[in-house]
């Protein structure tokens, strides 16, 4: 009996201990659920396995080989180019007494917003106006987004923006109350500013009204309200643009933290990576007449958009364009497959990491299949982050449904039919058809193409997604700027102006000019791609040398070409020479160097300003060594180049010998020196 009592007492203690553990676990569960939005996201991200599984053919990745320097190393002739956007002469602080308030509404996508904000700050200083925080229409028009972030603060850090421009422009978060009321009553003057207006437009038209009413509202819809190239005596305003774009416009903390995590996950493998921006949006394809690049319903969608753009005067050309000719002429984007062929031809191995940016790739993931076939480590922001990390960017959003859930009203429809049959004598007018919302049922999501010449109205969820795209592109922007190599598929948007990729190129040119940024000549690239397609993708030495010569040439010539083509349309796409300087010791290096192409590049870019003394750090001799070193590729497969190799069997060519590579590099150095 005593033994049974002892056993029962032990069981009771075990049961009590189990209940205690259960209660404790429930308490911990509720505690974690309570702080899910705040602290648990970081914990989850540290233990989460992402969808990306890196695949590398070689565990050892040498970083001191000539091949590494050719593929990933800096551009030697641009290593002396440093960012310098500080004022270079007398620059007065903003007046405490201004001419009035400037309120701005900005429409458009990510690159339009960034260009417009920089222009608005310059206009505020031109007019001696107090700038109210710009309003981003793409966020204010989106219903149900988090109330935690409003308008400008949805994308950028307001506090940093205000503090960074203290010595340039007076910035306030909102208009005074009496002016807010006047704006609601539409009692303040409004200007729909033309694209690329000159400074004299604001002096003649806006400034007198601003002085008279003490407030002016500007509506910017074309991605910029000030001309890109200002008169020579406005150079300080160009440097102000650089200070705004590259120093004052910081994304809000949540965006920067997630971007830093993605970069950390890319760098954790201790391997460099390539950032690729396809630039394939429906608007850009329609504007440039590239519909026939797709052989399905996407062609109809592009043509529908082009027709819509022609009716509004955006497109001046014909409705039907020969897309094959446009592609050969370099007017169409390079497809991901073509970019992959160029990268493989340049020498990047199949296990190179490629980060695909862009909020939208028209045609969907199907267009990226060839790129995935050529490279094993193709990633994007979704494969390097978790769903809750992306959701944390949006904040607490309302749950929106386009149509309420519930059973269909069959009974009411029967009653309506009976009422219709029993109503009055005939004939009588037919009732208007019910308003049919945009639906994706029988015809598919493209069914509206055949119904109307106009674009369908965006649903509530689509408006919210447009706001989310700003955050996605902000993440991609930061990753692309920090990438070891960047290559764009297209550098124009749906209005023929510089796009997202152009802003990235301009930022990289300002921040780290020597970083590898390819700017392929699309006309030449298409010729090279078609040439190897005709040879069933069997690459020979001549073709490899042509690809390498072309891409290496674009590292320098692309910058000079951008100064003539991109800069007149967008200053931020090419902020040189106004926002750059040359190290003082670089002048001595160029004199002693056997190659004269370095000084020629500086003259072509117009860079003559010397950097301050505190920037003259680093070893000059190291720069000399790099200037004269030869690039050698020690592993070039020239047969079946774009598929996985087994062993060392290379039909139809063999490896490019070191001697031939040296001769090729020497010849190219001479060609560069003659230009």
């Amino acid at each position: 009996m005593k033994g049974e009592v002892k056993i029962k007492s032990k069981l009771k203690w075990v049961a009590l201990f189990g209940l205690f553990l259960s209660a404790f676990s429930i308490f911990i569960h509720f505690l974690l659920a309570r702080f899910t939005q705040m602290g648990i996201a970081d914990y989850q991200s540290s233990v989460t396995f992402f969808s990306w599984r890196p695949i590398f053919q070689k565990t050892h990745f040498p970083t001191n080989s000539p091949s590494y320097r050719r593929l990933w190393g800096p551009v030697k002739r641009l290593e002396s180019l440093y960012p310098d956007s500080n004022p270079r002469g007398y620059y007065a602080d903003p007046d405490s007494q201004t001419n009035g308030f400037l309120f701005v509404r900005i429409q458009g996508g990510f690159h339009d917003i960034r260009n417009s904000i920089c222009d608005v700050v310059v206009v505020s200083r031109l007019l001696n106006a107090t700038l109210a925080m710009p309003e981003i229409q793409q966020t204010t028009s989106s219903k149900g987004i988090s109330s935690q972030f409003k308008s400008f603060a949805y994308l950028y850090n307001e506090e940093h923006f205000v503090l960074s421009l203290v010595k340039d422009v007076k910035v306030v978060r909102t208009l005074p109350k009496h002016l807010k009321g006047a704006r609601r009553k539409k009692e303040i003057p409004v200007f729909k500013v033309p694209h690329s207006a000159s400074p004299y437009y604001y002096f003649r038209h806006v400034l007198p009204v601003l002085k008279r009413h003490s407030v002016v509202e500007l509506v910017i819809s074309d991605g910029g309200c000030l001309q890109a190239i200002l008169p020579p005596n406005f150079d300080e305003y160009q440097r102000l643009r650089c200070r705004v774009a590259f120093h004052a416009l910081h994304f809000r903390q949540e965006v920067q933290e997630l971007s830093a995590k993605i970069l950390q996950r890319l760098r954790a493998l201790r391997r460099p990576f390539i950032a690729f921006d396809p630039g394939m949006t429906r608007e850009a394809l329609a504007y440039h007449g590239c519909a026939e690049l797709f052989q399905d319903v996407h062609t109809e969608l592009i043509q529908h958009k082009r027709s819509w753009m022609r009716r509004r005067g955006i497109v001046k050309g014909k409705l039907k364009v020969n897309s094959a000719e446009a592609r050969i002429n370099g007017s169409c984007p390079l497809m991901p497959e073509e970019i992959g062929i160029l990268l493989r031809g340049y020498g990047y191995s199949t296990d190179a990491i490629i980060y695909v940016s862009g909020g939208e790739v028209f045609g969907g993931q199907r267009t990226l299949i060839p790129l995935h076939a050529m490279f094993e480590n193709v990633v994007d922001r979704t494969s390097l982050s978790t769903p809750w990390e992306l959701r944390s960017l949006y904040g607490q959003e309302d749950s929106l449904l386009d149509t309420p859930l519930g059973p269909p009203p069959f009974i009411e429809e029967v009653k309506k039919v009976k009422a219709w049959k029993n109503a009055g004598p005939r004939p009588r007018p037919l009732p208007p058809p019910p308003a049919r919302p945009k639906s994706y049922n029988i015809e598919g999501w493209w069914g509206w193409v055949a119904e109307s010449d106009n674009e369908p109205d965006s649903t509530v969820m689509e408006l919210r997604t447009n706001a989310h795209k700003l955050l996605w592109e902000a993440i991609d922007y930061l990753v692309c700027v920090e990438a070891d190599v960047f290559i764009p598929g297209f550098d124009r948007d749906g209005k023929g102006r510089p796009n997202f990729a152009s802003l990235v190129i301009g930022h990289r040119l300002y921040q780290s000019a020597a970083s590898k940024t390819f700017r392929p000549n699309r006309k030449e690239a298409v010729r090279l791609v078609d040439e190897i397609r005709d040879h069933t993708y069997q690459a020979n030495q001549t073709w490899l040398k042509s690809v390498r010569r072309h891409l290496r040439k674009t590292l320098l010539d692309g910058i000079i070409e951008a100064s003539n083509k991109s800069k007149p349309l967008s200053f931020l796409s090419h902020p040189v020479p106004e926002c750059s300087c040359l190290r003082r010791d670089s002048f001595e290096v160029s004199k002693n160097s056997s190659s004269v192409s370095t000084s020629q590049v500086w003259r072509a870019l117009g860079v003559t300003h010397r950097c301050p003394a505190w920037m003259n750090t680093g070893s000059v001799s190291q720069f000399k060594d790099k200037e004269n070193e030869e690039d050698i590729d020690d592993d070039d497969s020239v047969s079946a180049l774009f598929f996985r190799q087994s062993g060392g069997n290379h039909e139809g060519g063999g490896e490019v010998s070191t001697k031939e590579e040296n001769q090729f590099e020497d010849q190219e150095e001479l060609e560069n020196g003659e230009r």
Side-chain angles (χ1 to χ4, degrees):
M1 294 292 294
K2 292 182 178 180
E4 293 180 358
V5 172
K6 289 182 178 180
I7 293 173
K8 289 182 179 179
S9 62
K10 289 181 179 180
L11 290 174
K12 289 181 180 179
W13 282 108
V14 171
L16 288 173
F17 184 71
L19 290 173
F20 173 77
L21 287 179
S22 300
F24 182 74
S25 65
I26 292 173
F27 172 75
I28 294 297
H29 174 76
F30 281 111
L31 188 65
L32 292 177
R34 169 67 178 79
F35 295 100
T36 295
Q37 296 294 333
M38 300 296 295
I40 195 61
D42 294 335
Y43 168 76
Q44 287 174 328
S45 64
S46 65
V47 300
T48 300
F49 293 95
F50 303 102
S51 59
W52 177 40
R53 299 291 184 269
I55 302 173
F56 299 118
Q57 297 175 356
K58 298 179 181 178
T59 56
H60 179 62
F61 189 74
T63 59
N64 56 353
S65 65
S67 176
Y68 178 89
R69 291 194 295 271
R70 182 176 68 82
L71 296 175
W72 307 101
V75 182
K76 295 171 290 186
R77 296 185 182 90
L78 297 177
E79 286 183 331
S80 296
L81 200 61
Y82 276 57
D84 183 17
S85 58
N86 294 323
R88 298 175 185 175
Y90 174 74
Y91 190 79
D93 292 340
D95 295 338
S96 57
Q97 296 294 329
T98 62
N99 292 324
F101 291 88
L102 197 66
F103 181 80
V104 184
R105 286 189 290 135
I106 300 175
Q107 302 171 357
F110 178 87
H111 64 284
D112 295 325
I113 293 170
R114 198 168 181 87
N115 279 322
S116 299
I117 292 175
C118 298
D119 290 353
V120 163
V121 173
V122 174
V123 169
S124 298
R125 184 168 178 91
L126 282 171
L127 302 179
N128 186 25
T130 299
L131 177 64
M133 200 64 68
E135 182 180 281
I136 300 176
Q137 290 292 100
Q138 195 155 324
T139 60
T140 56
S141 62
S142 302
K143 298 181 180 179
I145 65 173
S146 176
S147 58
Q148 181 181 357
F149 313 108
K150 294 182 179 179
S151 190
F152 188 89
Y154 188 80
L155 187 59
Y156 293 108
N157 188 327
E158 283 187 346
E159 184 176 357
H160 181 82
F161 182 76
V162 174
L163 294 177
S164 299
L165 298 176
V166 167
K167 295 185 178 181
D168 299 297
V169 175
K170 188 176 180 181
V171 183
V172 295
R173 296 182 184 275
T174 59
L175 291 173
K177 290 185 178 180
H178 68 285
L179 293 180
K180 277 186 178 181
R183 180 176 174 268
R184 292 193 192 98
K185 298 176 182 178
K186 299 182 179 180
E187 295 176 352
I188 65 175
V190 179
F191 286 87
K192 292 186 177 180
V193 185
H195 179 72
S196 296
S198 70
Y200 306 105
Y201 168 86
Y202 293 96
F203 291 144
R204 295 170 185 170
H205 298 89
V206 181
L207 184 58
V209 179
L210 177 65
K211 290 181 176 179
R212 191 180 313 123
H213 296 271
S214 299
V215 62
V216 162
E217 179 176 344
L218 302 182
V219 180
I220 306 172
S221 58
D222 290 330
C225 61
L226 189 65
Q227 63 187 36
I229 299 180
L230 298 176
N233 56 329
F234 285 81
D235 280 350
E236 289 299 339
Y237 292 96
Q238 297 287 54
R239 281 185 278 277
L240 174 57
R241 272 174 163 164
C242 292
R243 291 197 293 276
V244 177
F246 308 130
H247 299 282
L249 280 181
H250 281 196
F251 299 110
R252 60 180 167 92
Q253 184 178 356
E254 293 82 0
V255 176
Q256 290 190 354
E257 289 177 353
L258 183 53
S259 302
K261 287 180 181 179
I262 291 176
L263 281 169
Q264 182 181 6
R265 290 159 189 168
L266 284 167
R267 302 287 189 194
L269 301 169
R270 300 184 182 278
R271 288 174 178 257
F273 71 95
I274 304 169
F276 163 53
D277 181 67
M280 293 173 56
T281 62
R282 182 171 167 232
E283 290 76 11
L285 293 166
Y287 182 88
H288 296 278
C290 306
E292 295 175 2
L293 295 180
F294 302 88
Q295 300 299 325
D296 52 14
V297 69
H298 294 90
T299 300
E300 299 297 328
L301 287 169
I302 296 171
Q303 283 296 92
H304 189 277
K305 187 69 176 182
R306 184 173 176 85
S307 175
W308 181 86
M309 296 169 78
R310 286 183 74 250
R311 289 196 300 273
R312 283 154 182 78
I314 301 174
V315 174
K316 304 297 183 182
K318 298 179 180 179
L319 176 61
K320 293 185 178 181
V321 179
N322 189 328
S323 299
E325 291 183 1
R327 173 180 172 271
I328 294 174
N329 293 331
S331 300
C332 291
L334 292 174
M335 302 293 284
E337 176 189 4
E338 296 168 335
I339 291 292
I341 291 174
L342 294 176
L343 292 176
R344 289 290 289 121
Y346 192 73
Y348 293 102
S349 60
T350 57
D351 60 355
I353 302 174
I354 297 183
Y355 181 90
V356 180
S357 72
E360 173 191 3
V361 180
F362 190 76
Q365 291 296 316
R366 184 186 62 176
T367 59
L368 297 174
I369 290 177
L371 188 65
H372 282 271
M374 283 182 267
F375 293 92
E376 295 168 328
N377 298 309
V378 179
V379 296
D380 58 14
R381 66 180 173 277
T382 59
S383 57
L384 290 168
S385 60
T386 58
W388 53 81
E389 283 178 332
L390 290 173
R391 285 196 296 268
S392 66
L393 293 178
Y394 314 144
Q396 191 69 32
E397 295 184 330
D398 298 333
S399 178
L400 296 178
L401 292 175
D402 290 340
T403 55
L405 298 177
F410 293 112
I411 300 176
E412 294 183 8
E413 290 182 1
V414 172
K415 290 182 178 179
K416 288 181 180 179
V417 172
K418 288 184 178 179
W420 172 253
K421 290 181 178 179
N422 299 329
R426 300 184 184 185
R428 57 185 179 277
L430 294 174
R436 184 173 62 175
K438 182 179 176 182
S439 59
Y440 312 128
N441 44 21
I442 300 175
E443 301 91 350
W445 66 273
W446 47 271
W448 48 266
V449 171
E451 296 180 358
S452 173
D453 292 335
N454 295 320
E455 295 285 305
D457 296 332
S458 298
T459 62
V460 175
M461 291 302 297
E462 287 173 337
L463 290 174
R464 175 184 286 185
T465 302
N466 290 337
H468 292 174
K469 285 180 180 179
L470 295 179
L471 303 177
W472 301 343
E473 293 190 64
I475 294 172
D476 292 339
Y477 183 87
L478 293 175
V479 174
C480 290
V481 168
E482 297 294 333
D484 299 275
V485 177
F486 179 72
I487 183 168
F490 202 46
D491 59 355
R492 290 291 183 266
D493 64 2
K495 295 181 181 178
R497 299 166 188 154
N499 64 353
F500 173 90
S502 297
L503 290 187
V504 171
I505 291 174
H507 197 148
R508 289 170 64 88
L509 181 61
Y510 171 82
Q511 178 175 297
S512 54
S515 58
K516 254 189 176 53
T517 303
F518 294 113
R519 302 167 179 85
N521 183 317
R522 291 187 295 275
K523 185 175 181 179
E524 178 67 15
V526 167
R527 185 190 67 79
L528 291 170
V529 170
D530 290 344
E531 181 180 338
I532 195 174
R533 280 176 178 167
D534 295 339
H535 292 82
T536 64
Y537 298 97
Q538 300 294 320
N540 53 35
Q541 295 180 17
T542 303
W543 185 85
L544 282 176
K545 291 181 180 181
S546 299
V547 170
R548 293 178 185 179
R549 183 182 292 110
H550 169 66
L551 287 182
R552 194 169 302 162
K553 186 179 179 182
T554 64
L555 294 174
L556 294 175
D557 288 1
I559 300 177
I560 300 173
E561 184 180 356
S563 65
N564 299 324
K565 293 185 178 180
S566 294
K567 188 173 182 177
L569 300 175
S570 172
F571 174 77
L572 297 183
S573 66
H574 189 82
V576 175
E578 292 85 353
C579 301
S580 299
C581 64
L582 290 174
R583 271 176 38 173
R584 294 178 182 272
D585 52 19
S586 63
F587 290 92
E588 299 177 0
V589 172
S590 62
K591 291 178 182 178
N592 299 329
S593 177
S594 59
S595 173
V596 297
S597 60
T598 302
S599 58
Q600 288 179 351
V601 169
W602 294 338
R603 285 197 299 269
L605 295 177
V607 182
T608 57
H609 180 70
R610 298 193 180 190
C611 296
W614 61 269
M615 287 189 181
N616 297 323
T617 58
S619 173
V620 182
S621 61
Q622 181 181 3
F623 178 81
K624 290 181 182 179
D625 294 339
K626 287 186 177 181
E627 182 71 16
N628 295 324
E629 73 182 4
E630 293 179 349
D631 295 325
I632 303 172
D633 189 12
D634 45 15
D635 184 16
D636 288 323
S637 174
V638 296
S639 178
L641 179 67
F642 310 109
F643 303 96
R644 295 183 179 87
Q645 303 295 318
S646 58
N649 183 20
H650 306 305
E651 301 175 1
E655 293 187 354
V656 179
S657 66
T658 302
K659 183 177 180 181
E660 290 174 344
E661 277 291 327
N662 289 339
Q663 292 175 353
F664 167 59
E665 298 295 342
D666 293 341
Q667 181 181 359
E668 185 178 356
E669 290 291 336
L670 292 174
E671 291 175 357
N672 290 335
E674 293 173 357
R675 285 182 288 134

